[in-house]
Amino acid sequence: MVRRGLAFVLLIGLAAGPGFARDGEERPFGPTPQKNFSHLHDDAEWVVRAFAAAEVAEAVGDFTAVVRTLQPIIDQKASREAPNDAAPYVAAVNGTAVYEGAWIVARHRIQALGAPGLEAYAREFGGTAEAMLADASTRRQPVVLRALADRFLGLPAGRRACLLLCDLAVGAGDLDAALGHLDDLEDLEAVSAETPEVLAPWRAARARRRAVLLARDPASRP
């Protein structure tokens, strides 16, 4: 799902009426307005450096360096204590008007690299992702599936984990969560540089599940 961080100012005490400062100027009572720090940060130095380094590596065709540099940003999402917790960083995707979670930007940049980048990603992290999927299947632990889908959605094991999470959500009667997993897959497909032949079975698996969900809950139609 898309998450956007918006900085805003919380004004306190304005309804108390006017007061007077030492210089005699009439001013409202209440403390100085404070910035609300519940928003997401887009200025973490290590995140900025990582995106910059990835751009340099991509420019010289070092796709292994690109994926190694971007993956730690994605891993910030998977390290959250609760499944719906936001990762602590965002990145601008449309000037300063639109922000995405930094992990989503990093994930999508990897997915859009093209064949050499996706091959480098599979070489670097495919084994880890497959081991996580095997572990989750053996122990039947949704938390491992969630971590896998968060970290490696662009790899086959991550996509399978996301589809399994969708199935588990349907079984639990949580249709909103199930649709959320399908939306994650659809967002990934929209930016992927994979060929139509590679994407076709994943799209078909997603479409079948969405059709089942819409049959159960027509109000979920977009």
Side-chain angles (χ1 to χ4, degrees), residues 106-140:
R107 174 193 288 167
H108 287 183
R109 286 191 184 177
I110 289 174
Q111 206 65 23
L113 286 174
L118 295 175
E119 289 169 4
Y121 195 44
R123 283 196 308 271
E124 288 297 308
F125 300 106
T128 299
E130 291 293 341
M132 290 178 69
L133 181 61
D135 182 47
S137 300
T138 299
R139 296 195 290 164
R140 298 182 180 276

Short mmCIF file of all heavy atoms in Angstrom, two decimals, residues 106-140:
data_model
loop_
_atom_site.label_atom_id
_atom_site.label_comp_id
_atom_site.label_asym_id
_atom_site.label_seq_id
_atom_site.Cartn_x
_atom_site.Cartn_y
_atom_site.Cartn_z
N ALA A 106 12.57 2.10 -3.19
CA ALA A 106 13.71 1.22 -3.42
C ALA A 106 13.28 -0.06 -4.12
O ALA A 106 13.93 -0.53 -5.07
CB ALA A 106 14.40 0.90 -2.09
N ARG A 107 12.19 -0.65 -3.67
CA ARG A 107 11.67 -1.89 -4.28
C ARG A 107 11.33 -1.66 -5.74
O ARG A 107 11.69 -2.47 -6.62
CB ARG A 107 10.43 -2.35 -3.52
CG ARG A 107 9.73 -3.54 -4.13
CD ARG A 107 8.36 -3.72 -3.50
NE ARG A 107 8.43 -4.22 -2.14
CZ ARG A 107 7.43 -4.23 -1.29
NH1 ARG A 107 6.25 -3.71 -1.65
NH2 ARG A 107 7.56 -4.70 -0.07
N HIS A 108 10.67 -0.56 -6.04
CA HIS A 108 10.26 -0.30 -7.41
C HIS A 108 11.44 0.03 -8.30
O HIS A 108 11.44 -0.31 -9.49
CB HIS A 108 9.23 0.84 -7.43
CG HIS A 108 7.89 0.41 -6.92
ND1 HIS A 108 6.79 1.26 -6.92
CD2 HIS A 108 7.45 -0.76 -6.39
CE1 HIS A 108 5.75 0.61 -6.42
NE2 HIS A 108 6.12 -0.60 -6.09
N ARG A 109 12.47 0.67 -7.74
CA ARG A 109 13.65 0.96 -8.56
C ARG A 109 14.36 -0.32 -8.95
O ARG A 109 14.85 -0.46 -10.08
CB ARG A 109 14.59 1.91 -7.80
CG ARG A 109 14.08 3.33 -7.75
CD ARG A 109 15.10 4.30 -7.23
NE ARG A 109 14.52 5.64 -7.12
CZ ARG A 109 15.17 6.69 -6.65
NH1 ARG A 109 16.43 6.58 -6.23
NH2 ARG A 109 14.58 7.86 -6.58
N ILE A 110 14.43 -1.25 -8.03
CA ILE A 110 15.04 -2.54 -8.37
C ILE A 110 14.22 -3.23 -9.45
O ILE A 110 14.76 -3.76 -10.43
CB ILE A 110 15.15 -3.43 -7.12
CG1 ILE A 110 16.22 -2.89 -6.17
CG2 ILE A 110 15.48 -4.87 -7.51
CD1 ILE A 110 16.30 -3.62 -4.84
N GLN A 111 12.91 -3.21 -9.29
CA GLN A 111 12.03 -3.92 -10.23
C GLN A 111 12.08 -3.31 -11.61
O GLN A 111 11.80 -3.99 -12.61
CB GLN A 111 10.60 -3.92 -9.69
CG GLN A 111 9.76 -5.07 -10.19
CD GLN A 111 10.27 -6.42 -9.70
OE1 GLN A 111 10.96 -6.49 -8.69
NE2 GLN A 111 9.94 -7.47 -10.41
N ALA A 112 12.43 -2.04 -11.70
CA ALA A 112 12.46 -1.36 -12.99
C ALA A 112 13.84 -1.37 -13.64
O ALA A 112 14.03 -0.77 -14.70
CB ALA A 112 12.00 0.09 -12.81
N LEU A 113 14.80 -2.09 -13.05
CA LEU A 113 16.17 -2.06 -13.56
C LEU A 113 16.33 -2.73 -14.92
O LEU A 113 17.27 -2.44 -15.65
CB LEU A 113 17.11 -2.74 -12.56
CG LEU A 113 17.44 -1.96 -11.30
CD1 LEU A 113 18.26 -2.82 -10.34
CD2 LEU A 113 18.18 -0.67 -11.62
N GLY A 114 15.46 -3.64 -15.25
CA GLY A 114 15.65 -4.42 -16.46
C GLY A 114 16.32 -5.74 -16.17
O GLY A 114 16.67 -6.05 -15.02
N ALA A 115 16.52 -6.53 -17.20
CA ALA A 115 17.01 -7.90 -17.03
C ALA A 115 18.32 -7.98 -16.24
O ALA A 115 18.43 -8.79 -15.31
CB ALA A 115 17.15 -8.57 -18.39
N PRO A 116 19.34 -7.17 -16.55
CA PRO A 116 20.60 -7.30 -15.80
C PRO A 116 20.42 -7.02 -14.31
O PRO A 116 21.00 -7.71 -13.46
CB PRO A 116 21.51 -6.26 -16.45
CG PRO A 116 20.95 -6.04 -17.81
CD PRO A 116 19.47 -6.19 -17.65
N GLY A 117 19.59 -6.03 -13.98
CA GLY A 117 19.36 -5.70 -12.58
C GLY A 117 18.58 -6.77 -11.85
O GLY A 117 18.89 -7.13 -10.71
N LEU A 118 17.55 -7.31 -12.51
CA LEU A 118 16.74 -8.35 -11.89
C LEU A 118 17.54 -9.65 -11.72
O LEU A 118 17.36 -10.37 -10.74
CB LEU A 118 15.48 -8.59 -12.71
CG LEU A 118 14.52 -7.40 -12.77
CD1 LEU A 118 13.36 -7.69 -13.72
CD2 LEU A 118 13.99 -7.05 -11.39
N GLU A 119 18.42 -9.92 -12.68
CA GLU A 119 19.29 -11.09 -12.54
C GLU A 119 20.25 -10.91 -11.37
O GLU A 119 20.50 -11.86 -10.61
CB GLU A 119 20.06 -11.31 -13.84
CG GLU A 119 19.19 -11.81 -14.98
CD GLU A 119 19.90 -11.76 -16.33
OE1 GLU A 119 21.11 -11.41 -16.34
OE2 GLU A 119 19.27 -12.06 -17.35
N ALA A 120 20.78 -9.72 -11.20
CA ALA A 120 21.67 -9.44 -10.06
C ALA A 120 20.91 -9.58 -8.75
O ALA A 120 21.45 -10.12 -7.76
CB ALA A 120 22.26 -8.04 -10.19
N TYR A 121 19.68 -9.14 -8.73
CA TYR A 121 18.86 -9.24 -7.52
C TYR A 121 18.62 -10.70 -7.15
O TYR A 121 18.72 -11.10 -5.98
CB TYR A 121 17.54 -8.52 -7.75
CG TYR A 121 16.74 -8.23 -6.50
CD1 TYR A 121 17.36 -7.73 -5.34
CD2 TYR A 121 15.37 -8.43 -6.47
CE1 TYR A 121 16.63 -7.46 -4.20
CE2 TYR A 121 14.63 -8.15 -5.33
CZ TYR A 121 15.27 -7.67 -4.20
OH TYR A 121 14.53 -7.41 -3.05
N ALA A 122 18.30 -11.50 -8.15
CA ALA A 122 18.08 -12.92 -7.90
C ALA A 122 19.35 -13.61 -7.43
O ALA A 122 19.30 -14.47 -6.53
CB ALA A 122 17.55 -13.59 -9.17
N ARG A 123 20.49 -13.26 -8.00
CA ARG A 123 21.76 -13.86 -7.56
C ARG A 123 22.06 -13.51 -6.11
O ARG A 123 22.49 -14.36 -5.33
CB ARG A 123 22.91 -13.37 -8.45
CG ARG A 123 23.01 -14.03 -9.79
CD ARG A 123 24.38 -13.77 -10.42
NE ARG A 123 24.74 -12.35 -10.43
CZ ARG A 123 24.44 -11.52 -11.41
NH1 ARG A 123 23.76 -11.95 -12.47
NH2 ARG A 123 24.81 -10.25 -11.36
N GLU A 124 21.84 -12.26 -5.77
CA GLU A 124 22.22 -11.79 -4.44
C GLU A 124 21.27 -12.28 -3.34
O GLU A 124 21.70 -12.62 -2.24
CB GLU A 124 22.26 -10.25 -4.42
CG GLU A 124 23.43 -9.67 -5.17
CD GLU A 124 24.75 -10.06 -4.56
OE1 GLU A 124 24.93 -9.88 -3.33
OE2 GLU A 124 25.61 -10.57 -5.31
N PHE A 125 19.98 -12.29 -3.63
CA PHE A 125 19.00 -12.51 -2.56
C PHE A 125 18.01 -13.65 -2.82
O PHE A 125 17.20 -13.96 -1.95
CB PHE A 125 18.21 -11.21 -2.32
CG PHE A 125 19.07 -10.06 -1.92
CD1 PHE A 125 19.34 -9.03 -2.81
CD2 PHE A 125 19.64 -10.00 -0.66
CE1 PHE A 125 20.15 -7.96 -2.44
CE2 PHE A 125 20.45 -8.94 -0.28
CZ PHE A 125 20.71 -7.91 -1.18
N GLY A 126 18.10 -14.27 -3.98
CA GLY A 126 17.16 -15.33 -4.29
C GLY A 126 17.26 -16.51 -3.34
O GLY A 126 16.24 -17.07 -2.91
N GLY A 127 18.48 -16.89 -2.97
CA GLY A 127 18.67 -18.01 -2.05
C GLY A 127 18.08 -17.73 -0.68
O GLY A 127 17.43 -18.60 -0.08
N THR A 128 18.30 -16.50 -0.20
CA THR A 128 17.74 -16.11 1.10
C THR A 128 16.22 -16.15 1.08
O THR A 128 15.58 -16.65 2.01
CB THR A 128 18.21 -14.69 1.48
OG1 THR A 128 19.63 -14.68 1.57
CG2 THR A 128 17.61 -14.26 2.81
N ALA A 129 15.65 -15.64 -0.01
CA ALA A 129 14.19 -15.61 -0.12
C ALA A 129 13.61 -17.02 -0.17
O ALA A 129 12.60 -17.31 0.49
CB ALA A 129 13.78 -14.81 -1.37
N GLU A 130 14.22 -17.90 -0.93
CA GLU A 130 13.72 -19.28 -1.03
C GLU A 130 13.83 -19.99 0.32
O GLU A 130 12.95 -20.77 0.70
CB GLU A 130 14.48 -20.04 -2.11
CG GLU A 130 14.21 -19.57 -3.53
CD GLU A 130 12.79 -19.84 -3.99
OE1 GLU A 130 12.11 -20.70 -3.39
OE2 GLU A 130 12.36 -19.19 -4.96
N ALA A 131 14.92 -19.74 1.05
CA ALA A 131 15.08 -20.36 2.37
C ALA A 131 14.02 -19.87 3.34
O ALA A 131 13.47 -20.65 4.14
CB ALA A 131 16.47 -20.06 2.92
N MET A 132 13.68 -18.57 3.26
CA MET A 132 12.62 -18.04 4.11
C MET A 132 11.28 -18.66 3.77
O MET A 132 10.48 -18.98 4.67
CB MET A 132 12.55 -16.52 3.97
CG MET A 132 13.73 -15.77 4.57
SD MET A 132 13.61 -13.97 4.30
CE MET A 132 12.22 -13.56 5.39
N LEU A 133 11.02 -18.87 2.49
CA LEU A 133 9.75 -19.47 2.09
C LEU A 133 9.66 -20.91 2.58
O LEU A 133 8.61 -21.34 3.08
CB LEU A 133 9.61 -19.42 0.57
CG LEU A 133 8.31 -19.99 0.00
CD1 LEU A 133 7.11 -19.22 0.51
CD2 LEU A 133 8.34 -19.97 -1.53
N ALA A 134 10.76 -21.65 2.46
CA ALA A 134 10.77 -23.03 2.93
C ALA A 134 10.54 -23.08 4.44
O ALA A 134 9.79 -23.93 4.95
CB ALA A 134 12.09 -23.70 2.56
N ASP A 135 11.16 -22.16 5.15
CA ASP A 135 11.01 -22.11 6.61
C ASP A 135 9.58 -21.79 6.99
O ASP A 135 8.99 -22.42 7.88
CB ASP A 135 11.97 -21.05 7.18
CG ASP A 135 11.91 -20.97 8.69
OD1 ASP A 135 11.94 -22.03 9.35
OD2 ASP A 135 11.82 -19.86 9.23
N ALA A 136 8.99 -20.82 6.30
CA ALA A 136 7.61 -20.43 6.59
C ALA A 136 6.64 -21.57 6.28
O ALA A 136 5.67 -21.80 7.02
CB ALA A 136 7.23 -19.19 5.79
N SER A 137 6.89 -22.29 5.19
CA SER A 137 6.01 -23.39 4.82
C SER A 137 6.11 -24.55 5.81
O SER A 137 5.10 -25.19 6.14
CB SER A 137 6.37 -23.89 3.41
OG SER A 137 6.23 -22.85 2.47
N THR A 138 7.33 -24.79 6.30
CA THR A 138 7.53 -25.89 7.24
C THR A 138 6.91 -25.58 8.59
O THR A 138 6.22 -26.42 9.20
CB THR A 138 9.03 -26.16 7.42
OG1 THR A 138 9.59 -26.53 6.16
CG2 THR A 138 9.26 -27.29 8.42
N ARG A 139 7.13 -24.38 9.06
CA ARG A 139 6.66 -24.01 10.41
C ARG A 139 5.28 -23.36 10.38
O ARG A 139 4.72 -23.07 11.44
CB ARG A 139 7.67 -23.07 11.06
CG ARG A 139 9.02 -23.72 11.31
CD ARG A 139 9.84 -22.88 12.26
NE ARG A 139 10.29 -21.63 11.67
CZ ARG A 139 10.75 -20.60 12.39
NH1 ARG A 139 10.75 -20.66 13.70
NH2 ARG A 139 11.17 -19.51 11.79
N ARG A 140 4.77 -23.10 9.18
CA ARG A 140 3.45 -22.46 9.03
C ARG A 140 3.36 -21.18 9.86
O ARG A 140 2.43 -20.99 10.64
CB ARG A 140 2.34 -23.44 9.43
CG ARG A 140 2.29 -24.69 8.57
CD ARG A 140 1.15 -25.60 8.96
NE ARG A 140 1.12 -26.79 8.13
CZ ARG A 140 0.56 -26.89 6.93
NH1 ARG A 140 -0.04 -25.82 6.42
NH2 ARG A 140 0.59 -28.00 6.26
#
